[in-house]
Amino acid sequence: MPLLVVLISLLSLAAAQQPLECSYFYYEGIDELLYTCQLNINNPNGFNNFTTIGGTHIEGKTNQDVQLIFTGSGITTNVPSIICATFPNLIRMELYELGIKAIADSSYRTCSRVTEINLTGNQITSISANAFVQLPGLISIVLERNLLTTLPENVFAKQQNLQWLYMGNNPYKRIPSGLFRPLQNLGVLYIGNANLDAIDSQWFLTNSRIYELYLAGNRIKDVTGSFTGLQGLTYLTLTENRIRKIPTGTFTRTPNLNTLYIANNNLTELRQDSFPNLSQLTSLDISNNPIGVIYNGAFRGLSALTSLTLSSCSINRLESNSFHGLQQLVSLALSSNRIDVLPTAVFSPMPSLNYIGLYGNRLSVLHVRSFGILSSLKTFDLTQNTINAIDKRIIDRATTLNTLYFVGNRCASNNYEDYSNKRREYSVTLATCFGNYLA
């Protein structure tokens, strides 16, 4: 029995002393060439008493030259301190999918030069309050796809230089109100698919430099007062939540918002002035919301908007001024709705339209009074309607038309490409559609 114990101890010691091995090479990233260690690690028991990291350097290089270390293969439940002790000049650490369970005070204690950390796809359930204290130069942290339910409120207290923070795909139960307060230089924040049911009104009070905020795939219902402090925000993603309405004043504090994705929510109507105070907005996606009706003036004030997507919104009614004020609009997608009639002059406020998508509606007749002059139109998608008659003046006035998608209609069923050069030929093919309107 004693002999057996000794053998087990020796085997465990051997496993603990030689589980880290590096393959060295140069990594060419964006505008950089880094001397790199591809780490192979076998440390399922989470030992932290290693004395060496194996591997043969490229000629002329030493441990002092290694700047990037990333996962090759293997497993470890912690971040062995020997990594930074061996490579004192590391600037990037990418330890993804290793089974790491916790980030302790000692994990990065000797990593003061590191500027980027990637811990994607581990099993981290806890991060100590002082985990990043010794890394004031961090500009990027990635914590995606772990098992975090919360974070210490002061965990980023020393990260005033942080610019990118990706912390989504975790089952959060609580995110402290002051978590982001020290991050006054933060530019990009991703908290997607993170179990959030609300946005704390205190989160972003000191984050005026955030320009991209990603909150898709949560359970957020109410966005009242959610974006206070985000004066610099230009790109906001709220897709796949449970938002029912956009209260007046929601975007008052985000005057520079340029792109808004709010698809796959529970918006039930778009009434007058649904998006006030967004004079800089150029792209808006509201697809896959059960909207039903687009009321007059719904987009009033969006004078810079160039792209509007309203696909799969159960729209059964448009009004003549539904798109009033969209003089700069270039692309309008209304596909997969229930539109059977286009009101008089509904497209007239949009002289810059390059694309109209009406795929998958219930249109049977197209009247010229609905469209006005489409002098900029290049692509017209009318696929899968029940169209049996078209006022020929619509097509004649679309002098720049290049593609007409028309498969699945009654009077014709084809796609007409290179229309500008084949007008005469296509006029013959569509003669039934034009003739039915005259009749």
Side-chain angles (χ1 to χ4, degrees):
M1 181 64 70
L3 179 59
L4 178 60
V5 172
V6 171
L7 287 174
I8 291 174
S9 298
L10 289 174
L11 288 172
S12 298
L13 182 62
Q17 294 300 318
Q18 296 181 347
L20 284 76
E21 188 80 15
C22 272
S23 300
Y24 295 99
F25 59 91
Y26 283 104
Y27 169 85
E28 187 170 1
I30 300 174
D31 299 325
E32 60 183 349
L33 189 64
L34 302 178
Y35 186 51
T36 300
C37 160
Q38 182 180 20
L39 181 71
N40 299 301
I41 183 169
N42 180 24
N43 184 35
N45 296 315
F47 290 114
N48 197 20
N49 59 345
F50 311 121
T51 58
T52 61
I53 295 179
T56 303
H57 282 289
I58 293 175
E59 185 176 355
K61 296 295 180 182
T62 69
N63 291 341
Q64 303 290 321
D65 298 302
V66 177
Q67 293 177 292
L68 165 63
I69 186 167
F70 71 94
T71 303
S73 63
I75 185 172
T76 183
T77 56
N78 63 354
V79 179
S81 57
I82 191 175
I83 294 175
C84 288
T86 302
F87 307 120
N89 295 313
L90 278 177
I91 58 174
R92 289 173 57 180
M93 293 182 67
E94 301 182 6
L95 302 179
Y96 41 82
E97 298 182 350
L98 282 174
I100 298 170
K101 294 184 178 180
I103 304 299
D105 288 356
S106 61
S107 295
Y108 296 106
R109 183 165 291 166
T110 58
C111 303
S112 60
R113 293 179 179 270
V114 170
T115 60
E116 299 178 50
I117 288 177
N118 187 337
L119 291 163
T120 299
N122 283 287
Q123 299 174 27
I124 300 170
T125 58
S126 67
I127 298 178
S128 72
N130 296 314
F132 305 124
V133 165
Q134 303 300 323
L135 290 81
L138 277 178
I139 61 172
S140 174
I141 299 176
V142 183
L143 299 170
E144 295 278 327
R145 291 196 289 114
N146 279 284
L147 300 174
L148 292 165
T149 57
T150 190
L151 286 166
E153 185 155 22
N154 297 318
V155 71
F156 301 128
K158 300 295 183 179
Q159 273 60 66
Q160 286 82 6
N161 294 308
L162 199 70
Q163 298 176 38
W164 294 277
L165 176 57
Y166 300 85
M167 50 182 285
N169 290 279
N170 282 279
Y172 294 111
K173 294 182 179 178
R174 177 179 176 270
I175 294 180
S177 295
L179 183 67
F180 308 116
R181 196 165 297 152
L183 307 180
Q184 297 181 15
N185 288 300
L186 191 65
V188 176
L189 176 60
Y190 271 49
I191 326 178
N193 302 295
N195 206 40
L196 303 179
D197 56 14
I199 301 171
D200 192 316
S201 61
Q202 302 297 304
W203 278 351
F204 308 124
L205 294 179
T206 61
N207 303 117
S208 61
R209 295 191 178 184
I210 289 181
Y211 60 86
E212 181 174 351
L213 177 60
Y214 185 90
L215 292 164
N218 285 291
R219 301 179 299 172
I220 299 165
K221 294 180 180 179
D222 186 5
V223 290
T224 304
S226 296
F227 309 113
T228 302
L230 295 174
Q231 295 92 330
L233 191 66
T234 60
Y235 195 104
L236 175 60
T237 302
L238 292 166
T239 55
E240 297 181 5
N241 278 284
R242 301 177 185 179
I243 300 168
R244 296 179 180 177
K245 64 179 181 178
I246 306 294
T248 301
T250 297
F251 300 111
T252 301
R253 304 297 180 88
T254 59
N256 296 301
L257 197 62
N258 176 274
T259 301
L260 175 59
Y261 292 141
I262 197 167
N264 295 94
N265 276 278
N266 294 327
L267 296 174
T268 56
E269 60 181 21
L270 290 181
R271 292 194 172 272
Q272 190 176 74
D273 300 323
S274 292
F275 300 96
N277 307 112
L278 289 178
S279 60
Q280 302 300 312
L281 197 72
T282 61
S283 183
L284 176 60
D285 185 350
I286 324 175
S287 55
N288 288 287
N289 279 280
I291 292 169
V293 180
I294 308 293
Y295 290 96
N296 286 333
F299 305 105
R300 190 168 61 178
L302 301 184
S303 56
L305 199 68
T306 59
S307 176
L308 176 59
T309 304
L310 290 161
S311 300
S312 301
C313 286
S314 302
I315 298 171
N316 54 49
R317 187 175 123 209
L318 296 172
E319 298 187 345
S320 292
N321 288 314
S322 289
F323 304 112
H324 176 72
L326 301 182
Q327 296 90 345
Q328 302 301 317
L329 200 69
V330 172
S331 174
L332 176 61
L334 289 163
S335 300
S336 301
N337 283 294
R338 302 171 186 173
I339 303 168
D340 56 5
V341 175
L342 295 172
T344 298
V346 67
F347 292 106
S348 295
M350 302 173 285
S352 301
L353 277 177
N354 179 285
Y355 170 82
I356 298 177
L358 285 163
Y359 170 98
N361 279 281
R362 301 174 182 180
L363 297 168
S364 57
V365 180
L366 298 185
H367 301 281
V368 71
R369 63 176 180 266
S370 300
F371 293 92
I373 298 174
L374 300 173
S375 58
S376 299
L377 189 65
K378 292 184 178 179
T379 303
F380 198 6
D381 190 351
L382 293 163
T383 307
Q384 297 298 330
N385 279 273
T386 59
I387 297 170
N388 196 45
I390 303 174
D391 188 330
K392 188 172 182 294
R393 289 174 293 179
I394 298 171
I395 305 300
D396 289 344
R397 292 177 180 181
T399 55
T400 61
L401 184 64
N402 187 62
T403 306
L404 174 63
Y405 294 109
F406 209 73
V407 169
N409 285 287
R410 292 174 60 189
C411 60
S413 182
N414 208 337
N415 290 329
Y416 304 98
E417 300 181 2
D418 195 21
Y419 205 102
S420 57
N421 293 316
K422 297 181 179 181
R423 278 185 173 268
R424 182 175 298 179
E425 175 187 338
Y426 291 154
S427 291
V428 174
T429 307
L430 292 166
T432 300
C433 300
F434 301 146
N436 287 348
Y437 188 83
L438 294 174

